[in-house]
Amino acid sequence: MSWQIGTVIWINGPVVRVRGSRQVSMLELVEVGDEHLVGEVIGLEGDIITIQVYEETSGMRPGAPVYGTGMPLSVELGPGLLRSIFDGIQRPLPVMEMHTGSFIGRGVHLTPLYRKDRWSFTPQVKAGDTITGGAILGTVPETQALTHRVMAPPEIEGTLTWVAPAGEYTIDEPIARLRTKNGEQELTMLQRWPVRRPRPYRSRLAPAEPLVTGQRVLDTFFPLAKGGAAAIPGGFGAGKTVTQHQIAKWSDAQVVIYIGCGERGNEMTEVLQEFPELVDPRSGRPLMERTVLIANTSNMPVAAREASIYTGITIAEYYRDMGYHVALMADSTSRWAEALREISGRLEEMPAEEGYPAYLAARLAEFYERAGYVETLNGQLGSVSVIGAVSPPGGDFSEPVTQHTKRFIRCFWALDKALASARHFPSVNWLESYSEYVDDVAGWWREQVGRDWQTMRAQAMEILTEESRLQRIVKLVGPDALPDEQRLILETARLLREGFLQQSALDEVDTYSPLQKQIRMLELILHFHQRAQRIIKRGALIVVIHDLPVVTDMMRMKTLVANDQLEKLDDIRKAIDEQMDQLETEYR
Amino acid sequence: MKELLGGQEVIGVARIEGPIVVVQGAGSVGYDEVVEVFDSRGRLRRGRVLEVGEDIAVVEVFAGTTGLSIDDTRVRFLGEPLRIPVTEEMLGRVFDGLGEPIDGGPEPLADHYADINGQPINPTARVYPRDYIQTGISAIDGMNTLVMGQKLPLFSGSGLPHDQLAAQIVRQATLGAPAGEAPSQTAQFAIVFAAMGVKHDVAAYFRDSFAESGALTRVAMFLNLADDPPVERLVTPRAALTLAEYLAFERQMHVLVILTDMTNYCEALRQISNIRGEVPSRKGYPGYLYSDLASMYERTGRIKTSEGSITQLPILTMPNDDITHPVPDLTGYITEGQIVLSRDLTHQDIYPPIAVLPSLSRLMKDGIGEGRTRADHSHLSAQLYAAYAHVQDVRSLASVIGEEELSTVDQQYLQFGRAFEREFIHQGPTENRSIEETLTIGWRLLSMLPQEELTRVSPAELQQYYGKRDATH
């Protein structure tokens, strides 16, 4: 439903000015030109309306009509989101392919969710119940991996006068009728929500549970809490995308939203081909069954890139509201910031740093604050964890996007080009990265994993920090000049770096490391260190330690010890003790 | 206002500034449409619309505005975006930067006309590239394998042999086969070559090189040379890619696209942006440089509905060899890796001077391994990387304390490093190594190091390949 609100008077790329109605509201969704290109109102001045257009404007002329819709840019929420791939404004790309072929056409209007699918609905409420917004009306097995909880829209309340019996329904068939103050209202499984407005919840809780990713350097050293926000900055080739893919694959979130924002087309294709084949270690089902993909590649219209982040996080909040833990990856937030900059430049706004608009920090804050661990309107616990990749120009972290992002996240995974060049992956620099969630999740580790993670982590960090100090000396005088106690630090740090921190995304075993394995590997390395320290004190030479056969075993334990055969780690511990005992008898 | 489609003409312009003219009283003009601009003597140049208002149009003139005057300039709006004819007959021909033939031959008989801006490929319509291209160059095949449908730029500097390397790749590229099997001869690459602001010599070098290898009939060249109008450069790569898309996606061909030099392209873009008074981002380049580059680099790949593919090898010279300069930096963020050339290696007379450590092929992981190259390829290359990275540490240490003071193992690393550069990276400009030769050299070099150092390869691989004398050397 749309009506003409004015005509185009000026066009510059994705930004269009229109003269017309004063009744149009900010952020209203509009359709521009005879092709009905999708756009959004971003400025109003008298009767001049400024619009950003989500599609290519080539060939558009002044005088073209513009139509209003009376509603803000919104997403459709309901069963059928999982396994989908959308563009930045939630147009389903596979359906688009059927309409316009291999290339993306213009002015194609498609409903995001397929209307003809019938979903098996089981009610959980009955006529006569009084409900408030967010109440769970029933369930739908959306995929075998996830049950979709059908909720009442957040902002209504009333008494149910009718509830559909269990059965199969399409998303726009009524499943309940509700008597509200304003009269009777039909409820369907489909609802809409404006993307730029956070969905409401009852209360926000402190994050206390880690998002387990199966990546050792992240889980053990720099954990992200469920409901937390993390940033992965790194120059090109540092491994941002692989790290994001690894988290999307192996994290213990129940729903994963992956936003390819201004990135490579082939990367999205890789995800599309790989995820249906990969099996989620927890549910035993293909990863795609818990995943929603949003792809606005670098050559797709820039304004839709700006919107893609909001589209993604709104879908994430929707699953959170059902009581699920959702992980959202945005690759890359820098491209989103650049989209802001491009639009701002075309509006001839006064730039702040490096051409970015002055409201960049405010927009970043709004986005990252939509992460959180909450009690939902229906009393469940759910979370949205946000992991944003940042692509700093030249790998220089002092640029505006990285710096502003750092203010609004609490977990910083700094990727290091030097490590990447040495093929140390994931190239998370252990000295520059930090996590403010360490104390928050320590209790969880104690209860769930049962070992003193925080102490071991601190010991390992101390060795690594000491190593970096010693390496500076080694660079000047060579390792031979160091006393053997310090050379042992170098030796153990090497074990930590190559045997623990390095993790191959391509290796079948090593791609996912369960927490038990992580902590026991760490324990072994520290145990080795302590025993070696004693022997060195008694005068043993470092080469003796270096040449112990068990060192090679520890280097290879990440790949040679299968994740379901952790008892093999006990054998390595035994080997450490035997070989150390042997040395102890030699150096009495 | 009456809408005039096509052919509306305005006499006289309001303002001329650099390559830009501002036209008033044009009525309804489409954004991004083509214009024809005639000077007082009726000579034609072409341009396109950058911005339109109700009564005003901002036009960039590709050939520049020299000789245009306010009153006598006639501007004709053609009512459609810039399109070029596409046909298989364009192979073997030479065109200017706007796609007009300059080899004295007739206008090619168009199969149809295509918009030079193309349209974004739907990610769901793509096929993930997995078939590797054997270039016969060890530093690429062994360490940074090129995959059909990949965009892999050469990051170079002035004075480095990037042209020779690109020409060698073009000469030797074949569809890869598993090690030990003969590469298939059936897949021949069509080559689309776009020159932006390069010297005549460079264009001539490529033409001669194509001719020598007998490839000239499979090459379409789009030349905007150093003394051609800079603004035309903004069209050249797009015209070339439009032809490439036609050949790959409508004619099922495998197409290699060489774009040189992207730095010149970006400078032309900056020039236009500056004149228009746009807010600059880094080093004066416009804020949309990333999106603009992406609109070309992303026109690469494979799609489900065609057997063909587009592989891009853009060449760019890094100003002052600075890899953090916006042009290489933004390129690296869009392309699927990069091949970096090193001045240091050139000074040591190593050709091709590929700096292995900062180079990367993102699609390599899925293009190699069992059934594609060989099962041990992935581990072998990871081990070579790690060892060569350690060589750099040892070298900096040796420069402080002297080689004699190094441990035995580190001395072995030094020897490995020298041999790696001399025997693996270095090869002749006409030397075409099979993938098997490349892998064999890799293992021979690794065998210079003690087994305990080689933790990236599996014990079984060590068993099979470590210390084995090979027949080829």
Side-chain angles (χ1 to χ4, degrees), chain A residues 422-496:
Chain A
R423 295 306 188 263
H424 174 117
F425 287 117
S427 67
V428 176
N429 182 310
W430 47 91
L431 299 174
E432 265 187 84
S433 303
Y434 60 80
S435 166
E436 296 174 18
Y437 298 110
V438 172
D439 293 336
D440 297 343
V441 301
W444 186 93
W445 270 86
R446 258 194 310 279
E447 283 162 31
Q448 302 291 324
V449 191
R451 289 176 199 239
D452 193 358
W453 161 69
Q454 213 175 353
T455 313
M456 283 195 259
R457 175 187 180 277
Q459 285 170 355
M461 276 305 283
E462 195 184 321
I463 292 172
L464 289 167
T465 314
E466 179 69 5
E467 187 221 9
S468 90
R469 195 180 65 82
L470 293 175
Q471 284 292 359
R472 282 200 288 271
I473 303 176
V474 170
K475 284 218 170 73
L476 292 177
V477 294
D480 293 344
L482 294 178
D484 278 1
E485 279 98 356
Q486 293 190 331
R487 293 190 63 183
L488 176 64
I489 299 267
L490 298 183
E491 192 61 33
T492 308
R494 188 175 75 100
L495 268 176
L496 280 171

Side-chain angles (χ1 to χ4, degrees), chain B residues 104-169:
Chain B
E107 281 271 348
L109 201 59
D111 184 53
H112 61 87
Y113 284 78
D115 181 348
I116 61 154
N117 293 310
Q119 282 178 316
I121 302 179
N122 188 329
T124 58
R126 283 182 184 268
V127 175
Y128 188 65
R130 282 173 190 273
D131 300 320
Y132 88 99
I133 296 176
Q134 181 178 308
T135 64
I137 296 163
S138 292
I140 297 179
D141 294 350
M143 310 292 281
N144 296 291
T145 317
L146 175 66
V147 175
M148 203 179 286
Q150 183 174 17
K151 38 194 180 292
L152 190 65
L154 297 180
F155 283 11
S156 185
S158 34
L160 296 181
H162 42 264
D163 296 331
Q164 286 90 310
L165 179 58
Q168 186 177 4
I169 294 174

Side-chain angles (χ1 to χ4, degrees), chain B residues 327-346:
Chain B
V327 177
D329 191 51
L330 294 179
T331 297
Y333 275 121
I334 305 164
T335 54
E336 282 132 356
Q338 65 279 336
I339 303 286
V340 183
L341 301 193
S342 144
R343 203 166 289 281
D344 215 36
L345 290 177
T346 302

Side-chain angles (χ1 to χ4, degrees), chain B residues 77-368:
Chain B
F77 295 89
L78 299 187
E80 57 173 29
L82 191 53
R83 300 195 297 170
I84 62 156
V86 286
T87 155
E88 265 180 64
E89 285 172 33
M90 290 170 79
L91 290 173
R93 302 287 308 273
V94 184
F95 305 91
D96 71 3
L98 297 176
E100 301 285 336
I102 50 169
D103 53 2
E107 281 271 348
L109 201 59
D111 184 53
H112 61 87
Y113 284 78
D115 181 348
I116 61 154
N117 293 310
Q119 282 178 316
I121 302 179
N122 188 329
T124 58
R126 283 182 184 268
V127 175
Y128 188 65
R130 282 173 190 273
D131 300 320
Y132 88 99
I133 296 176
Q134 181 178 308
T135 64
I137 296 163
S138 292
I140 297 179
D141 294 350
M143 310 292 281
N144 296 291
T145 317
L146 175 66
V147 175
M148 203 179 286
Q150 183 174 17
K151 38 194 180 292
L152 190 65
L154 297 180
F155 283 11
S156 185
S158 34
L160 296 181
H162 42 264
D163 296 331
Q164 286 90 310
L165 179 58
Q168 186 177 4
I169 294 174
V170 168
R171 274 199 312 273
Q172 299 182 173
T174 50
L175 185 54
E181 291 175 25
S184 86
Q185 294 301 319
T186 50
Q188 281 223 315
F189 287 93
I191 296 144
V192 173
F193 177 86
M196 291 152 281
V198 300
K199 295 180 67 59
H200 281 92
D201 306 359
V202 172
Y205 172 81
F206 274 102
R207 194 188 318 202
D208 293 348
S209 156
F210 297 147
E212 260 170 48
S213 60
L216 210 49
T217 53
R218 290 184 282 122
V219 184
M221 299 181 89
F222 292 79
L223 304 181
N224 167 279
L225 300 178
D227 54 355
D228 287 334
V231 185
E232 224 177 84
R233 262 161 232 172
L234 302 179
V235 174
T236 311
R238 294 190 164 85
L241 285 165
T242 303
L243 175 63
E245 277 174 350
Y246 167 80
L247 297 174
F249 301 145
E250 290 179 47
R251 285 287 169 266
Q252 327 277 323
M253 293 181 180
H254 292 299
V255 186
L256 256 181
V257 180
I258 313 267
L259 306 172
T260 181
D261 174 333
M262 291 308 291
T263 307
N264 295 337
Y265 169 89
C266 295
E267 268 163 20
L269 195 70
R270 173 166 69 178
Q271 190 185 342
I272 293 286
S273 169
N274 263 314
I275 292 168
R276 297 181 65 198
E278 292 173 335
V279 177
S281 61
R282 278 206 310 151
K283 297 210 171 172
Y285 289 96
Y288 50 79
L289 181 60
Y290 178 85
S291 304
D292 190 277
L293 286 172
S295 73
M296 292 177 290
Y297 293 145
E298 275 292 328
R299 294 169 81 174
T300 314
R302 311 187 71 159
I303 58 173
K304 290 178 198 157
T305 52
S306 169
E307 287 299 307
S309 67
I310 299 181
T311 308
Q312 268 196 45
L313 286 175
I315 299 172
L316 59 89
T317 47
M318 300 181 280
N320 199 21
D321 292 354
D322 177 10
I323 199 168
T324 68
H325 182 279
V327 177
D329 191 51
L330 294 179
T331 297
Y333 275 121
I334 305 164
T335 54
E336 282 132 356
Q338 65 279 336
I339 303 286
V340 183
L341 301 193
S342 144
R343 203 166 289 281
D344 215 36
L345 290 177
T346 302
H347 288 162
Q348 296 171 49
D349 208 23
I350 287 167
Y351 172 89
I354 295 177
V356 167
L357 296 179
S359 298
L360 169 72
S361 165
R362 290 169 189 272
L363 300 186
M364 172 176 180
K365 61 183 191 332
D366 297 304
I368 62 169

Side-chain angles (χ1 to χ4, degrees), chain A residues 9 25 90 140 154 166-167 181 201 234 238 322 351 377 408 451 507 533 571 583:
Chain A
I9 56 167
S25 48
Q90 215 200 2
V140 164
K181 277 182 293 192
Y201 46 81
M322 294 178 204
L377 292 178
F408 310 119
R451 289 176 199 239
D507 186 277
Q533 254 177 336
D571 301 343
L583 283 180

